Amino acid sequence: MLHPAATPILTAATHGSELAATIHTAEQAATVTLIVTAVAGLYLLTCAVWPFGKCRKCKGVGKFKSPFGKAYRHCPRCKGTGLRVRFGRHIINRIRATRGAGTNSTSKGER
Ligand SMILES: [Zn+2]
């Protein structure tokens, strides 16, 4: 399910890297591709289950305290949530958005 989306990223990752120079046979290339696909698939799976990481700017706190009193302001990057959407989740969201747009135009229509 995730594989068609993962493969363009993989080809982009393997092309132009030193990996390409070390791979000699098609079998080796297939093995490397399989491993990278599996790792990317697992990563996307974890991003589907745990979509958020800590905001890097405020370290997950979501606000910056003023040095005086109890004043504070929200972190501008995460807007006070302290959350950061993980890179893999952005990919999943994009896949879902394109898929949703495709089904909406056909199944839902004007009715
Ligand atoms: Zn933040």
Side-chain angles (χ1 to χ4, degrees), residues 7-58:
T7 40
I9 304 154
L10 299 172
T11 49
T14 48
H15 277 275
S17 68
E18 284 129 8
L19 256 177
T22 54
I23 296 166
H24 295 293
T25 65
E27 200 178 308
Q28 278 180 315
T31 310
V32 170
T33 309
L34 193 74
I35 291 165
V36 176
T37 309
V39 170
L42 276 173
Y43 172 67
L44 284 178
L45 202 68
T46 64
C47 287
V49 182
W50 301 285
F52 301 110
K54 273 185 184 177
C55 171
R56 283 181 187 137
K57 195 159 185 180
C58 62

Side-chain angles (χ1 to χ4, degrees), residues 66-83:
S66 152
F68 324 103
K70 291 176 180 175
Y72 68 89
R73 65 183 165 89
H74 282 151
C75 169
R77 195 156 181 179
C78 60
K79 297 181 182 77
T81 57
L83 301 174

Side-chain angles (χ1 to χ4, degrees), residues 67-104:
F68 324 103
K70 291 176 180 175
Y72 68 89
R73 65 183 165 89
H74 282 151
C75 169
R77 195 156 181 179
C78 60
K79 297 181 182 77
T81 57
L83 301 174
R84 172 181 62 87
V85 179
R86 296 170 75 192
F87 175 68
R89 185 64 184 202
H90 280 296
I91 298 169
I92 294 166
N93 285 349
R94 195 164 296 179
I95 295 163
R96 279 188 181 166
T98 49
R99 194 178 288 167
T103 49
N104 281 347

